[in-house]
Amino acid sequence: MSIVIIGGNECMEREYKNLCKKHGCHAKVFCRYNNCMKDRIGKPDLMVLFTHTVSHKMVKNALSDLHAGTSVVRSHSSSLASLKQILAENVG
């Protein structure tokens, strides 16, 4: 399963990826806006938006060309515990 995480803390990027890997998922993490972000998102199975630490511009770019089969989960908290709960509910 592929996951894209939009937002979050830069210092937690490695922990986000490691937690996704423990759940058997491949993760891409975009903590800051990047010009090529829109092209690098691809067609993930799950998109996680950490709404407290993300700009509106990043959200618009991420959601603009979203694949039809992609589930979107929004979380106000960008903690590791929050991501763990999201993965438990959506990955199984």
Side-chain angles (χ1 to χ4, degrees):
M1 179 176 212
S2 62
I3 297 175
V4 171
I5 298 172
I6 307 291
N9 299 316
E10 284 184 70
C11 61
M12 296 288 290
E13 185 174 344
R14 175 59 39 202
E15 282 82 6
Y16 295 150
K17 288 182 180 182
N18 288 340
L19 183 61
C20 290
K21 192 174 186 179
K22 285 181 185 177
H23 281 83
C25 302
H26 178 264
K28 292 181 185 177
V29 181
F30 299 98
C31 294
R32 286 190 287 162
Y33 180 75
N34 191 346
N35 289 334
C36 63
M37 182 184 82
K38 191 174 179 180
D39 298 329
R40 294 183 59 212
I41 289 177
K43 297 179 181 179
D45 298 314
L46 177 66
M47 181 178 287
V48 179
L49 295 172
F50 289 135
T51 57
H52 185 69
T53 56
V54 69
S55 67
H56 293 286
K57 186 175 185 179
M58 282 181 70
V59 172
K60 284 182 181 181
N61 281 336
L63 296 177
S64 65
D65 290 329
L66 200 59
H67 182 62
T70 303
S71 301
V72 178
V73 177
R74 295 172 190 250
S75 174
H76 188 68
S77 172
S78 58
S79 67
L80 206 57
S82 175
L83 180 60
K84 188 181 287 187
Q85 181 180 2
I86 290 169
L87 291 174
E89 292 173 358
N90 293 289
V91 175

